[in-house]
Amino acid sequence: MASLVVEKNEKNEKLVNVLSIAIPLAVAVLIGVRTKIDLGAWTKILPHVIGVLNTTTSITLIIGYIFIKNNNIKWHQKMMSLSFIQGSLFLVLYILYHISNPSTPFKGEGAIRAVYYFFLLSHIGLSISVVWFVLRSMYYALSNQIDLHKKIVKFTFPMWLYVSVTGVIVYLMISPYYK
């Protein structure tokens, strides 16, 4: 596997910042579109695929963490790259599902409803801010700014893992209500 090296410069730094704002904004706009686009019945399986992606992302994040704690940089890089690819694929599939299907309401009642909304709202809130942290972490790693990478991943890793794991929890809680 060839290493991707990104040049360290102000232009790339600005690109990370622009993408960190543009990605969550684009997701919000696309999801907010009231008129759904008919992409076909195949989109009904996307929540399940997304649930699997969140699960595998959680797993590869943990494995990547274990590799770096054991000084296995090569496999750490592979796991983090795989996590990034899975996260990117998640984002594309999430948008495709939400532009083509109405939102599924949670029908649980009582205390479970509060638990669901706690996980959902914390998941959504952190998923917006984690974009900047993930992009910045990847940029620092790919531009060989390892000291900066180490500093930021102290925040990125737990936030990204929380977003992935709560994505699985939210999926498991709402999956009985998918049509």
Side-chain angles (χ1 to χ4, degrees):
M1 179 180 201
S3 281
L4 174 66
V5 177
V6 174
E7 185 178 334
K8 174 187 167 187
N9 63 39
E10 192 174 322
K11 183 178 173 183
N12 287 337
E13 299 243 355
K14 286 180 181 178
L15 179 61
V16 166
N17 291 332
V18 168
L19 287 173
S20 297
I21 295 168
I23 291 170
L25 192 59
V27 170
V29 167
L30 289 170
I31 289 172
V33 173
R34 296 277 180 227
T35 306
K36 299 300 177 183
I37 301 166
D38 184 8
L39 297 177
W42 69 273
T43 61
K44 300 290 185 200
I45 67 160
L46 289 179
H48 311 295
V49 174
I50 290 167
V52 169
L53 277 173
N54 270 325
T55 303
T56 58
T57 300
S58 299
I59 293 167
T60 55
L61 285 170
I62 292 167
I63 293 171
Y65 178 80
I66 292 167
F67 278 131
I68 201 62
K69 286 299 176 188
N70 289 305
N71 282 330
N72 190 332
I73 295 168
K74 177 183 173 185
W75 278 97
H76 167 74
Q77 291 171 331
K78 288 181 181 195
M79 289 298 107
M80 294 298 107
S81 296
L82 184 54
S83 297
F84 185 81
I85 291 166
Q86 291 173 123
S88 300
L89 182 57
F90 159 86
L91 193 57
V92 169
L93 296 178
Y94 184 84
I95 291 169
L96 286 174
Y97 177 75
H98 284 283
I99 65 170
S100 60
N101 293 277
S103 292
T104 301
F106 182 72
K107 297 175 186 169
E109 296 178 6
I112 195 71
R113 190 169 187 79
V115 170
Y116 171 79
Y117 281 106
F118 170 79
F119 283 125
L120 178 65
L121 295 175
S122 64
H123 170 80
I124 291 170
L126 282 176
S127 70
I128 293 166
S129 57
V130 79
V131 172
W132 183 86
F133 284 92
V134 170
L135 291 175
R136 181 67 54 177
S137 296
M138 292 296 289
Y139 169 66
Y140 287 152
L142 294 173
S143 61
N144 204 28
Q145 299 179 69
I146 302 306
D147 287 342
L148 292 173
H149 175 75
K150 286 179 180 179
K151 286 180 183 177
I152 197 167
V153 297
K154 290 177 183 175
F155 302 99
T156 307
F157 174 74
M159 194 182 314
W160 194 1
L161 184 60
Y162 181 87
V163 168
S164 294
V165 169
T166 56
V168 175
I169 293 168
V170 167
Y171 164 73
L172 291 172
M173 291 181 80
I174 199 163
S175 63
Y177 307 112
Y178 286 120
K179 293 179 184 179

